[in-house]
Amino acid sequence: MSDCIFCKIADHEIPSNAVYEDEHMLCFHDLEPQAPIHVLVIPKKHMASLDEVKEEDKELMGHIMFKIHEIAAELGLENGYRVVINTGEDAFQTVKHLHFHLLGKRKMTWPPG
Ligand code: 5GP
Ligand code: ZN
């Protein structure tokens, strides 16, 4: 997707403060952190949201979910963390490239806002 900001970050067209990268995914610090640690985990493959995940993406999705706890450990989130996937209008998804928010280093509230 040529006009997708997260595709450009995944392609290194736009620099990011990356904390983890492999051939399938990238993790980088959020521009407007909502917690002392707030990183975004994205697949390099463009998918607008969870709604666009297909059967063929199951392995990729599993890979990302599997890697998140390693990234959390690397970031020192031994006391816990929250993973958020805003999907669609009601959830205020603003960037239309699937991303997992990984937040930590503060007490979260429940229910979420
Ligand atoms: P959403 O609201 O779609 O769930 O989350 C989008 C997130 O992307 C927001 O937390 C926002 O701060 C972050 N964001 C938007 N544009 C950029 C950018 O260019 N670079 C980085 N690092 N984060 C961005
Ligand atoms: Zn994209």
Coordinates of all heavy atoms in Angstrom, one line a residue, residues 42-87:
I42 N 3.7 -4.5 14.3 CA 3.0 -4.6 13.0 C 3.5 -5.8 12.1 O 4.7 -6.1 12.1 CB 3.1 -3.3 12.2 CG1 4.5 -3.0 11.7 CG2 2.5 -2.2 12.9 CD1 4.6 -1.9 10.7
P43 N 2.6 -6.4 11.4 CA 3.1 -7.3 10.3 C 3.6 -6.5 9.2 O 3.1 -5.4 9.0 CB 1.8 -8.1 9.9 CG 0.7 -7.1 10.2 CD 1.1 -6.3 11.4
K44 N 4.6 -6.9 8.5 CA 5.1 -6.2 7.4 C 4.1 -6.2 6.2 O 4.1 -5.3 5.4 CB 6.5 -6.7 6.9 CG 7.6 -6.4 8.0 CD 9.0 -6.7 7.5 CE 10.0 -6.1 8.5 NZ 11.4 -6.4 8.1
K45 N 3.4 -7.3 6.1 CA 2.3 -7.4 5.1 C 1.2 -6.5 5.5 O 0.8 -6.4 6.6 CB 1.8 -8.9 5.1 CG 0.6 -9.1 4.2 CD 0.1 -10.5 4.3 CE -1.1 -10.7 3.5 NZ -1.7 -12.0 3.5
H46 N 0.7 -5.7 4.5 CA -0.4 -4.8 4.7 C -1.7 -5.5 4.9 O -2.1 -6.3 4.0 CB -0.5 -3.8 3.6 CG -1.6 -2.8 3.8 ND1 -1.5 -1.7 4.6 CD2 -2.9 -2.9 3.5 CE1 -2.6 -1.1 4.7 NE2 -3.5 -1.8 4.0
M47 N -2.3 -5.3 6.0 CA -3.7 -5.7 6.3 C -4.3 -4.5 7.0 O -3.7 -4.0 8.0 CB -3.7 -6.9 7.2 CG -3.1 -8.2 6.7 SD -3.2 -9.5 7.9 CE -1.5 -9.7 8.3
A48 N -5.4 -4.1 6.6 CA -6.0 -2.8 7.2 C -6.4 -3.0 8.6 O -6.2 -2.1 9.4 CB -7.2 -2.4 6.3
S49 N -6.9 -4.2 9.0 CA -7.3 -4.4 10.4 C -7.5 -5.9 10.6 O -7.3 -6.7 9.7 CB -8.6 -3.7 10.7 OG -9.7 -4.4 10.1
L50 N -7.9 -6.3 11.8 CA -8.2 -7.7 12.1 C -9.2 -8.2 11.1 O -9.2 -9.4 10.8 CB -8.7 -7.8 13.5 CG -7.8 -8.0 14.7 CD1 -8.6 -8.3 16.0 CD2 -6.8 -9.1 14.4
D51 N -10.1 -7.3 10.7 CA -11.1 -7.7 9.7 C -10.6 -8.3 8.4 O -11.3 -9.0 7.7 CB -12.1 -6.6 9.4 CG -13.0 -6.2 10.5 OD1 -13.3 -7.1 11.4 OD2 -13.4 -5.1 10.6
E52 N -9.3 -8.0 8.1 CA -8.8 -8.4 6.8 C -7.8 -9.6 7.0 O -7.2 -10.0 6.0 CB -8.0 -7.3 6.1 CG -8.9 -6.3 5.5 CD -8.2 -5.3 4.5 OE1 -7.0 -5.5 4.3 OE2 -8.9 -4.4 4.0
V53 N -7.7 -10.2 8.2 CA -6.9 -11.3 8.4 C -7.5 -12.5 7.7 O -8.7 -12.8 7.8 CB -6.7 -11.6 9.9 CG1 -5.9 -12.9 10.1 CG2 -6.0 -10.4 10.5
K54 N -6.7 -13.2 6.9 CA -7.2 -14.4 6.1 C -6.6 -15.7 6.7 O -5.7 -15.7 7.4 CB -6.8 -14.2 4.7 CG -7.4 -12.9 4.1 CD -7.3 -12.9 2.6 CE -8.1 -11.8 2.0 NZ -7.9 -10.5 2.6
E55 N -7.3 -16.8 6.2 CA -6.8 -18.1 6.6 C -5.3 -18.3 6.4 O -4.6 -18.8 7.2 CB -7.5 -19.1 5.6 CG -7.2 -20.6 5.9 CD -8.1 -21.2 7.0 OE1 -9.2 -20.6 7.3 OE2 -7.6 -22.2 7.6
E56 N -4.8 -17.7 5.3 CA -3.4 -17.9 5.0 C -2.5 -17.0 5.9 O -1.3 -17.2 5.9 CB -3.1 -17.4 3.5 CG -3.2 -15.9 3.3 CD -3.7 -15.5 1.9 OE1 -4.6 -16.2 1.4 OE2 -3.3 -14.5 1.4
D57 N -3.1 -16.2 6.7 CA -2.3 -15.3 7.7 C -2.2 -15.9 9.1 O -1.6 -15.3 10.0 CB -3.0 -13.9 7.8 CG -3.1 -13.2 6.5 OD1 -2.1 -13.3 5.7 OD2 -4.1 -12.6 6.2
K58 N -2.7 -17.1 9.3 CA -2.8 -17.7 10.6 C -1.4 -17.9 11.2 O -1.1 -17.6 12.4 CB -3.5 -19.0 10.6 CG -5.1 -18.8 10.6 CD -5.8 -20.0 10.1 CE -6.1 -21.0 11.2 NZ -7.0 -22.1 10.7
E59 N -0.5 -18.3 10.3 CA 0.9 -18.6 10.8 C 1.6 -17.3 11.2 O 2.2 -17.2 12.2 CB 1.7 -19.3 9.7 CG 3.0 -20.0 10.3 CD 3.7 -20.8 9.2 OE1 3.1 -21.3 8.3 OE2 4.9 -20.9 9.4
L60 N 1.4 -16.2 10.4 CA 1.9 -14.9 10.6 C 1.4 -14.4 11.9 O 2.1 -13.8 12.8 CB 1.6 -14.0 9.5 CG 1.9 -12.5 9.6 CD1 3.4 -12.2 9.9 CD2 1.4 -11.7 8.4
M61 N 0.0 -14.5 12.1 CA -0.6 -14.0 13.4 C -0.1 -14.7 14.6 O 0.2 -14.1 15.6 CB -2.1 -14.1 13.3 CG -2.7 -13.3 12.2 SD -2.5 -11.5 12.5 CE -3.7 -11.2 13.7
G62 N 0.1 -16.0 14.4 CA 0.7 -16.8 15.5 C 2.1 -16.4 15.8 O 2.5 -16.3 17.0
H63 N 2.9 -16.1 14.8 CA 4.3 -15.7 15.0 C 4.3 -14.4 15.8 O 5.1 -14.2 16.7 CB 4.9 -15.5 13.6 CG 6.3 -14.9 13.6 ND1 7.4 -15.6 14.1 CD2 6.8 -13.7 13.3 CE1 8.5 -14.9 14.0 NE2 8.1 -13.7 13.5
I64 N 3.5 -13.4 15.4 CA 3.4 -12.1 16.1 C 3.0 -12.3 17.5 O 3.7 -11.8 18.5 CB 2.5 -11.1 15.4 CG1 3.1 -10.8 14.0 CG2 2.2 -9.9 16.2 CD1 2.1 -9.9 13.1
M65 N 2.0 -13.1 17.8 CA 1.5 -13.3 19.2 C 2.6 -14.0 20.0 O 2.8 -13.6 21.2 CB 0.2 -14.1 19.2 CG -1.0 -13.4 18.7 SD -1.3 -11.8 19.5 CE -1.8 -12.4 21.1
F66 N 3.3 -14.9 19.4 CA 4.4 -15.6 20.1 C 5.5 -14.7 20.4 O 6.1 -14.8 21.5 CB 4.9 -16.8 19.2 CG 6.2 -17.4 19.7 CD1 6.2 -18.2 20.8 CD2 7.3 -17.2 19.0 CE1 7.4 -18.7 21.3 CE2 8.5 -17.7 19.5 CZ 8.5 -18.5 20.6
K67 N 5.8 -13.8 19.5 CA 7.0 -12.9 19.7 C 6.7 -11.8 20.8 O 7.6 -11.2 21.4 CB 7.4 -12.2 18.4 CG 8.2 -13.1 17.5 CD 9.6 -13.3 18.0 CE 10.3 -14.4 17.3 NZ 11.5 -14.8 17.9
I68 N 5.4 -11.5 21.0 CA 5.1 -10.3 21.9 C 5.7 -10.5 23.3 O 6.2 -9.6 23.9 CB 3.6 -10.0 21.9 CG1 3.3 -9.3 20.6 CG2 3.2 -9.2 23.1 CD1 1.8 -8.9 20.4
H69 N 5.6 -11.7 23.9 CA 6.1 -11.9 25.2 C 7.6 -11.8 25.3 O 8.2 -11.3 26.3 CB 5.6 -13.1 25.9 CG 6.3 -14.4 25.5 ND1 6.0 -15.1 24.4 CD2 7.3 -15.1 26.1 CE1 6.8 -16.2 24.3 NE2 7.6 -16.1 25.3
E70 N 8.3 -12.1 24.2 CA 9.7 -12.0 24.1 C 10.1 -10.5 24.1 O 11.0 -10.0 24.8 CB 10.3 -12.7 22.9 CG 10.3 -14.2 22.9 CD 11.0 -14.8 21.7 OE1 11.5 -14.1 20.9 OE2 11.0 -16.1 21.7
I71 N 9.3 -9.7 23.3 CA 9.6 -8.3 23.2 C 9.3 -7.6 24.6 O 10.0 -6.8 25.1 CB 8.7 -7.6 22.1 CG1 9.2 -8.1 20.7 CG2 8.7 -6.1 22.2 CD1 8.2 -7.8 19.6
A72 N 8.2 -8.1 25.2 CA 7.8 -7.5 26.5 C 8.9 -7.8 27.5 O 9.3 -6.9 28.3 CB 6.5 -8.2 27.0
A73 N 9.5 -9.0 27.5 CA 10.6 -9.3 28.4 C 11.8 -8.4 28.1 O 12.4 -7.9 29.1 CB 10.9 -10.8 28.3
E74 N 12.1 -8.2 26.9 CA 13.2 -7.4 26.4 C 13.0 -6.0 26.9 O 14.0 -5.3 27.3 CB 13.3 -7.4 24.9 CG 14.6 -7.0 24.3 CD 15.7 -8.0 24.6 OE1 15.5 -9.2 24.7 OE2 16.8 -7.5 24.9
L75 N 11.8 -5.5 27.0 CA 11.5 -4.1 27.4 C 11.3 -4.0 28.9 O 11.0 -3.0 29.5 CB 10.2 -3.6 26.7 CG 10.3 -3.4 25.2 CD1 9.0 -3.2 24.6 CD2 11.3 -2.3 24.9
G76 N 11.5 -5.1 29.6 CA 11.5 -5.1 31.1 C 10.1 -5.1 31.7 O 9.9 -4.6 32.8
L77 N 9.1 -5.6 31.0 CA 7.7 -5.6 31.4 C 7.4 -6.8 32.3 O 6.3 -7.4 32.1 CB 6.8 -5.5 30.2 CG 7.0 -4.3 29.3 CD1 6.0 -4.2 28.2 CD2 7.0 -3.0 30.1
E78 N 8.3 -7.2 33.2 CA 8.1 -8.4 34.0 C 6.9 -8.3 34.9 O 6.3 -9.3 35.4 CB 9.3 -8.8 34.8 CG 9.8 -7.7 35.8 CD 10.5 -6.6 35.1 OE1 11.2 -6.7 34.1 OE2 10.4 -5.5 35.7
N79 N 6.4 -7.0 35.2 CA 5.3 -6.9 36.1 C 3.9 -6.9 35.4 O 2.9 -6.7 36.0 CB 5.4 -5.5 36.8 CG 4.8 -5.6 38.2 OD1 5.0 -6.6 38.9 ND2 4.2 -4.6 38.7
G80 N 4.0 -7.1 34.1 CA 2.7 -7.2 33.3 C 2.7 -6.1 32.2 O 3.5 -5.2 32.1
Y81 N 1.7 -6.3 31.3 CA 1.6 -5.4 30.2 C 0.2 -5.6 29.6 O -0.5 -6.6 29.9 CB 2.7 -5.6 29.1 CG 2.8 -7.1 28.7 CD1 2.1 -7.6 27.6 CD2 3.7 -7.9 29.3 CE1 2.3 -8.9 27.1 CE2 3.9 -9.2 28.9 CZ 3.1 -9.7 27.8 OH 3.3 -11.0 27.4
R82 N -0.2 -4.7 28.7 CA -1.5 -4.8 28.0 C -1.2 -4.8 26.5 O -0.4 -4.0 26.0 CB -2.4 -3.7 28.4 CG -3.8 -3.8 27.7 CD -4.8 -2.9 28.3 NE -5.2 -3.3 29.7 CZ -6.0 -2.6 30.5 NH1 -6.4 -1.4 30.2 NH2 -6.3 -3.1 31.7
V83 N -1.9 -5.7 25.8 CA -1.9 -5.7 24.3 C -3.3 -5.3 23.8 O -4.3 -5.9 24.2 CB -1.5 -7.1 23.8 CG1 -1.5 -7.1 22.3 CG2 -0.2 -7.5 24.3
V84 N -3.3 -4.3 22.9 CA -4.6 -3.7 22.4 C -4.6 -3.7 20.9 O -3.6 -3.3 20.3 CB -4.8 -2.3 22.9 CG1 -6.0 -1.7 22.4 CG2 -4.8 -2.3 24.5
I85 N -5.7 -4.2 20.3 CA -5.8 -4.1 18.9 C -7.1 -3.3 18.6 O -8.2 -3.9 18.6 CB -5.9 -5.5 18.2 CG1 -4.8 -6.4 18.7 CG2 -5.9 -5.3 16.7 CD1 -4.9 -7.8 18.2
N86 N -7.0 -2.0 18.3 CA -8.2 -1.2 18.0 C -8.6 -1.6 16.6 O -7.8 -1.6 15.7 CB -7.8 0.3 18.1 CG -7.6 0.7 19.5 OD1 -8.2 0.2 20.4 ND2 -6.6 1.6 19.7
T87 N -9.9 -1.9 16.5 CA -10.4 -2.4 15.2 C -11.7 -1.6 14.8 O -12.7 -1.7 15.5 CB -10.7 -3.9 15.2 OG1 -9.5 -4.6 15.7 CG2 -11.1 -4.4 13.8

